Short mmCIF file of all heavy atoms in Angstrom, two decimals:
data_model
loop_
_atom_site.label_atom_id
_atom_site.label_comp_id
_atom_site.label_asym_id
_atom_site.label_seq_id
_atom_site.Cartn_x
_atom_site.Cartn_y
_atom_site.Cartn_z
N VAL A 1 0.86 -1.16 0.01
CA VAL A 1 0.00 0.03 -0.09
C VAL A 1 0.83 1.28 0.01
O VAL A 1 2.06 1.23 0.35
CB VAL A 1 -0.93 0.05 1.22
CG1 VAL A 1 -1.95 -1.14 1.15
CG2 VAL A 1 -0.19 0.06 2.49
N GLN A 2 0.27 2.38 -0.39
CA GLN A 2 0.98 3.64 -0.37
C GLN A 2 0.90 4.20 0.95
O GLN A 2 -0.07 4.00 1.77
CB GLN A 2 0.31 4.54 -1.39
CG GLN A 2 0.47 4.10 -2.82
CD GLN A 2 1.84 4.18 -3.32
OE1 GLN A 2 2.59 5.03 -3.06
NE2 GLN A 2 2.14 3.18 -4.22
N ALA A 3 1.91 5.01 1.32
CA ALA A 3 1.89 5.78 2.63
C ALA A 3 0.64 6.54 2.72
O ALA A 3 0.16 7.19 1.72
CB ALA A 3 3.12 6.62 2.71
N GLY A 4 0.02 6.53 3.88
CA GLY A 4 -1.24 7.19 4.11
C GLY A 4 -2.45 6.34 3.83
O GLY A 4 -3.59 6.69 4.10
N GLY A 5 -2.25 5.18 3.24
CA GLY A 5 -3.33 4.30 2.91
C GLY A 5 -3.71 3.37 4.08
O GLY A 5 -3.21 3.50 5.12
N SER A 6 -4.67 2.51 3.79
CA SER A 6 -5.20 1.61 4.83
C SER A 6 -5.19 0.22 4.40
O SER A 6 -5.14 -0.07 3.18
CB SER A 6 -6.67 1.95 5.12
OG SER A 6 -6.80 3.37 5.66
N LEU A 7 -5.16 -0.74 5.38
CA LEU A 7 -5.13 -2.09 5.10
C LEU A 7 -5.86 -2.81 6.31
O LEU A 7 -5.67 -2.24 7.44
CB LEU A 7 -3.70 -2.58 4.99
CG LEU A 7 -3.53 -3.97 4.35
CD1 LEU A 7 -3.99 -4.04 2.93
CD2 LEU A 7 -1.99 -4.34 4.44
N ARG A 8 -6.50 -3.88 6.07
CA ARG A 8 -7.14 -4.62 7.11
C ARG A 8 -6.56 -6.05 7.18
O ARG A 8 -6.66 -6.75 6.16
CB ARG A 8 -8.61 -4.71 7.07
CG ARG A 8 -9.28 -5.29 8.37
CD ARG A 8 -10.78 -5.21 8.35
NE ARG A 8 -11.37 -6.19 7.51
CZ ARG A 8 -12.60 -6.62 7.57
NH1 ARG A 8 -13.40 -6.08 8.51
NH2 ARG A 8 -13.07 -7.55 6.66
N LEU A 9 -6.05 -6.45 8.28
CA LEU A 9 -5.59 -7.84 8.47
C LEU A 9 -6.69 -8.64 9.22
O LEU A 9 -7.27 -8.07 10.10
CB LEU A 9 -4.30 -7.90 9.22
CG LEU A 9 -3.09 -7.11 8.65
CD1 LEU A 9 -1.91 -7.27 9.50
CD2 LEU A 9 -2.80 -7.47 7.24
N SER A 10 -6.74 -9.88 8.89
CA SER A 10 -7.68 -10.80 9.62
C SER A 10 -6.95 -12.04 10.16
O SER A 10 -5.98 -12.46 9.58
CB SER A 10 -8.77 -11.28 8.68
OG SER A 10 -9.56 -10.20 8.19
N CYS A 11 -7.43 -12.47 11.25
CA CYS A 11 -6.90 -13.69 11.88
C CYS A 11 -8.02 -14.51 12.31
O CYS A 11 -8.71 -14.18 13.23
CB CYS A 11 -5.99 -13.35 13.08
SG CYS A 11 -5.24 -14.61 13.96
N ALA A 12 -8.20 -15.70 11.68
CA ALA A 12 -9.31 -16.59 11.97
C ALA A 12 -8.85 -17.79 12.83
O ALA A 12 -7.77 -18.38 12.40
CB ALA A 12 -9.93 -17.06 10.68
N ALA A 13 -9.45 -18.10 13.92
CA ALA A 13 -9.01 -19.09 14.79
C ALA A 13 -9.93 -20.36 14.73
O ALA A 13 -11.13 -20.25 14.51
CB ALA A 13 -8.89 -18.58 16.21
N SER A 14 -9.32 -21.51 15.03
CA SER A 14 -10.12 -22.69 15.12
C SER A 14 -10.75 -23.00 16.48
O SER A 14 -11.54 -23.95 16.54
CB SER A 14 -9.26 -23.92 14.67
OG SER A 14 -8.21 -24.04 15.61
N ALA A 15 -10.39 -22.25 17.44
CA ALA A 15 -10.82 -22.48 18.84
C ALA A 15 -12.36 -22.37 18.95
O ALA A 15 -12.89 -21.41 18.54
CB ALA A 15 -10.16 -21.56 19.78
N ARG A 16 -12.94 -23.33 19.59
CA ARG A 16 -14.35 -23.31 19.86
C ARG A 16 -14.74 -22.24 20.92
O ARG A 16 -15.71 -21.58 20.80
CB ARG A 16 -14.90 -24.68 20.27
CG ARG A 16 -16.41 -24.72 20.44
CD ARG A 16 -17.16 -24.61 19.15
NE ARG A 16 -18.56 -24.78 19.36
CZ ARG A 16 -19.26 -25.85 19.26
NH1 ARG A 16 -18.65 -27.00 19.04
NH2 ARG A 16 -20.58 -25.90 19.44
N THR A 17 -13.87 -22.12 21.94
CA THR A 17 -14.03 -21.18 23.01
C THR A 17 -13.20 -19.88 22.74
O THR A 17 -12.44 -19.45 23.51
CB THR A 17 -13.66 -21.79 24.35
OG1 THR A 17 -12.26 -22.24 24.29
CG2 THR A 17 -14.53 -22.94 24.62
N PHE A 18 -13.48 -19.30 21.63
CA PHE A 18 -12.70 -18.21 21.15
C PHE A 18 -12.69 -16.98 22.07
O PHE A 18 -11.67 -16.29 22.24
CB PHE A 18 -13.16 -17.83 19.69
CG PHE A 18 -12.29 -16.73 19.11
CD1 PHE A 18 -10.92 -16.90 18.83
CD2 PHE A 18 -12.91 -15.41 18.80
CE1 PHE A 18 -10.18 -15.96 18.29
CE2 PHE A 18 -12.11 -14.48 18.23
CZ PHE A 18 -10.80 -14.63 17.97
N SER A 19 -13.79 -16.83 22.71
CA SER A 19 -13.91 -15.58 23.51
C SER A 19 -13.02 -15.66 24.77
O SER A 19 -12.75 -14.59 25.35
CB SER A 19 -15.34 -15.43 24.03
OG SER A 19 -15.82 -16.46 24.85
N MET A 20 -12.51 -16.87 25.07
CA MET A 20 -11.50 -16.98 26.16
C MET A 20 -10.04 -16.77 25.75
O MET A 20 -9.11 -16.94 26.61
CB MET A 20 -11.70 -18.35 26.86
CG MET A 20 -12.81 -18.41 27.80
SD MET A 20 -14.48 -18.62 27.05
CE MET A 20 -14.43 -20.41 26.86
N TYR A 21 -9.88 -16.46 24.49
CA TYR A 21 -8.46 -16.27 23.99
C TYR A 21 -8.21 -14.78 23.83
O TYR A 21 -8.90 -14.07 23.29
CB TYR A 21 -8.26 -17.02 22.66
CG TYR A 21 -8.14 -18.49 22.76
CD1 TYR A 21 -9.26 -19.31 22.99
CD2 TYR A 21 -6.91 -19.09 22.77
CE1 TYR A 21 -9.15 -20.69 23.17
CE2 TYR A 21 -6.76 -20.46 22.88
CZ TYR A 21 -7.84 -21.23 23.07
OH TYR A 21 -7.76 -22.56 23.24
N THR A 22 -7.03 -14.43 24.32
CA THR A 22 -6.34 -13.24 23.97
C THR A 22 -5.74 -13.34 22.65
O THR A 22 -5.04 -14.32 22.41
CB THR A 22 -5.36 -12.80 25.02
OG1 THR A 22 -6.07 -12.43 26.26
CG2 THR A 22 -4.55 -11.62 24.60
N VAL A 23 -5.91 -12.40 21.79
CA VAL A 23 -5.24 -12.33 20.49
C VAL A 23 -4.40 -11.10 20.30
O VAL A 23 -4.88 -9.98 20.57
CB VAL A 23 -6.29 -12.48 19.36
CG1 VAL A 23 -5.60 -12.45 18.01
CG2 VAL A 23 -7.11 -13.73 19.45
N GLY A 24 -3.19 -11.32 19.89
CA GLY A 24 -2.27 -10.21 19.67
C GLY A 24 -1.81 -10.21 18.22
O GLY A 24 -1.78 -11.22 17.54
N TRP A 25 -1.43 -8.93 17.79
CA TRP A 25 -0.81 -8.70 16.51
C TRP A 25 0.68 -8.28 16.78
O TRP A 25 0.91 -7.36 17.61
CB TRP A 25 -1.53 -7.69 15.66
CG TRP A 25 -2.78 -8.18 15.06
CD1 TRP A 25 -4.07 -7.94 15.61
CD2 TRP A 25 -2.91 -8.88 13.82
NE1 TRP A 25 -5.00 -8.59 14.75
CE2 TRP A 25 -4.25 -9.19 13.67
CE3 TRP A 25 -2.02 -9.37 12.96
CZ2 TRP A 25 -4.81 -9.88 12.64
CZ3 TRP A 25 -2.56 -10.13 11.88
CH2 TRP A 25 -3.90 -10.35 11.70
N PHE A 26 1.56 -8.97 16.11
CA PHE A 26 2.97 -8.62 16.28
C PHE A 26 3.56 -8.41 14.86
O PHE A 26 3.04 -8.77 13.91
CB PHE A 26 3.70 -9.82 16.92
CG PHE A 26 3.15 -10.29 18.32
CD1 PHE A 26 2.07 -10.99 18.43
CD2 PHE A 26 3.76 -9.78 19.44
CE1 PHE A 26 1.53 -11.36 19.62
CE2 PHE A 26 3.24 -10.06 20.64
CZ PHE A 26 2.17 -10.85 20.75
N ARG A 27 4.67 -7.68 14.92
CA ARG A 27 5.35 -7.50 13.55
C ARG A 27 6.86 -7.58 13.84
O ARG A 27 7.36 -7.40 14.87
CB ARG A 27 5.00 -6.12 13.01
CG ARG A 27 5.44 -4.98 13.76
CD ARG A 27 4.88 -3.72 13.17
NE ARG A 27 5.36 -2.42 13.88
CZ ARG A 27 4.85 -1.29 13.67
NH1 ARG A 27 3.90 -1.09 12.78
NH2 ARG A 27 5.28 -0.22 14.32
N GLN A 28 7.57 -8.00 12.75
CA GLN A 28 9.00 -8.14 12.77
C GLN A 28 9.57 -7.67 11.40
O GLN A 28 9.17 -8.18 10.33
CB GLN A 28 9.36 -9.56 13.01
CG GLN A 28 10.84 -9.77 13.19
CD GLN A 28 11.15 -11.10 13.83
OE1 GLN A 28 10.38 -12.11 13.72
NE2 GLN A 28 12.25 -11.18 14.53
N ALA A 29 10.41 -6.70 11.48
CA ALA A 29 11.15 -6.22 10.29
C ALA A 29 12.52 -6.86 10.31
O ALA A 29 13.00 -7.24 11.37
CB ALA A 29 11.21 -4.66 10.37
N PRO A 30 13.18 -6.92 9.12
CA PRO A 30 14.48 -7.51 9.12
C PRO A 30 15.46 -6.85 10.08
O PRO A 30 15.56 -5.58 10.16
CB PRO A 30 14.94 -7.22 7.63
CG PRO A 30 13.62 -7.24 6.86
CD PRO A 30 12.71 -6.52 7.86
N GLY A 31 16.16 -7.61 10.79
CA GLY A 31 17.14 -7.12 11.80
C GLY A 31 16.55 -6.59 13.01
O GLY A 31 17.28 -6.08 13.91
N LYS A 32 15.25 -6.70 13.23
CA LYS A 32 14.57 -6.17 14.33
C LYS A 32 13.93 -7.26 15.21
O LYS A 32 13.64 -8.31 14.70
CB LYS A 32 13.55 -5.12 14.03
CG LYS A 32 14.04 -3.98 13.13
CD LYS A 32 14.87 -3.09 13.94
CE LYS A 32 15.30 -1.83 13.15
NZ LYS A 32 16.14 -0.85 13.91
N GLU A 33 13.80 -7.02 16.46
CA GLU A 33 13.10 -7.94 17.29
C GLU A 33 11.58 -7.90 17.00
O GLU A 33 11.03 -6.90 16.53
CB GLU A 33 13.23 -7.70 18.76
CG GLU A 33 14.67 -7.82 19.32
CD GLU A 33 14.80 -7.68 20.78
OE1 GLU A 33 13.77 -7.32 21.44
OE2 GLU A 33 15.85 -7.92 21.37
N ARG A 34 10.93 -9.04 17.18
CA ARG A 34 9.47 -9.04 17.05
C ARG A 34 8.85 -8.14 18.14
O ARG A 34 9.16 -8.32 19.30
CB ARG A 34 8.95 -10.46 17.16
CG ARG A 34 7.50 -10.64 16.86
CD ARG A 34 7.15 -12.09 16.68
NE ARG A 34 7.83 -12.74 15.54
CZ ARG A 34 7.68 -13.96 15.16
NH1 ARG A 34 6.77 -14.73 15.74
NH2 ARG A 34 8.38 -14.44 14.12
N GLU A 35 7.93 -7.31 17.72
CA GLU A 35 7.34 -6.42 18.75
C GLU A 35 5.84 -6.58 18.71
O GLU A 35 5.23 -6.85 17.66
CB GLU A 35 7.74 -4.92 18.43
CG GLU A 35 7.11 -4.44 17.09
CD GLU A 35 7.27 -2.89 16.98
OE1 GLU A 35 7.37 -2.19 18.01
OE2 GLU A 35 7.32 -2.40 15.78
N SER A 36 5.24 -6.36 19.90
CA SER A 36 3.75 -6.25 19.94
C SER A 36 3.26 -4.99 19.32
O SER A 36 3.71 -3.93 19.66
CB SER A 36 3.36 -6.45 21.42
OG SER A 36 1.98 -6.38 21.51
N VAL A 37 2.26 -5.14 18.54
CA VAL A 37 1.51 -4.00 17.85
C VAL A 37 0.24 -3.69 18.61
O VAL A 37 -0.05 -2.52 18.96
CB VAL A 37 1.32 -4.26 16.43
CG1 VAL A 37 0.56 -3.17 15.76
CG2 VAL A 37 2.64 -4.55 15.69
N ALA A 38 -0.54 -4.65 18.86
CA ALA A 38 -1.85 -4.49 19.42
C ALA A 38 -2.29 -5.84 20.04
O ALA A 38 -1.83 -6.84 19.59
CB ALA A 38 -2.85 -3.99 18.39
N ALA A 39 -3.13 -5.83 20.96
CA ALA A 39 -3.76 -6.96 21.55
C ALA A 39 -5.18 -6.71 21.94
O ALA A 39 -5.47 -5.63 22.40
CB ALA A 39 -2.89 -7.51 22.65
N ILE A 40 -6.01 -7.67 21.90
CA ILE A 40 -7.34 -7.62 22.42
C ILE A 40 -7.45 -8.80 23.39
O ILE A 40 -7.29 -9.97 23.02
CB ILE A 40 -8.44 -7.56 21.31
CG1 ILE A 40 -9.84 -7.30 21.92
CG2 ILE A 40 -8.37 -8.85 20.44
CD1 ILE A 40 -10.78 -6.80 20.92
N PHE A 41 -7.82 -8.54 24.61
CA PHE A 41 -7.79 -9.49 25.69
C PHE A 41 -9.10 -10.23 25.76
O PHE A 41 -10.19 -9.83 25.42
CB PHE A 41 -7.36 -8.84 27.01
CG PHE A 41 -6.08 -8.19 26.92
CD1 PHE A 41 -6.02 -6.77 26.76
CD2 PHE A 41 -4.90 -8.91 26.90
CE1 PHE A 41 -4.74 -6.12 26.71
CE2 PHE A 41 -3.70 -8.33 26.86
CZ PHE A 41 -3.62 -6.90 26.73
#
């Protein structure tokens, strides 16, 4: 995407009891540690 643009990522889980799962988004760039971006508890 171009700078200033938007994108939506999706994460679909197989868990039946999904509401009991915390889900986080992480990102990793080359040479960098994996970092937490967002989480929903």
Side-chain angles (χ1 to χ4, degrees):
V1 297
Q2 298 291 322
S6 297
L7 195 65
R8 188 176 77 161
L9 305 181
S10 297
C11 179
S14 64
R16 183 69 178 269
T17 55
F18 182 65
S19 64
M20 279 79 83
Y21 283 80
T22 290
V23 179
W25 287 97
F26 302 82
R27 66 187 181 190
Q28 189 164 26
K32 303 291 185 180
E33 292 186 357
R34 188 168 298 185
E35 66 167 338
S36 178
V37 177
I40 187 161
F41 300 104

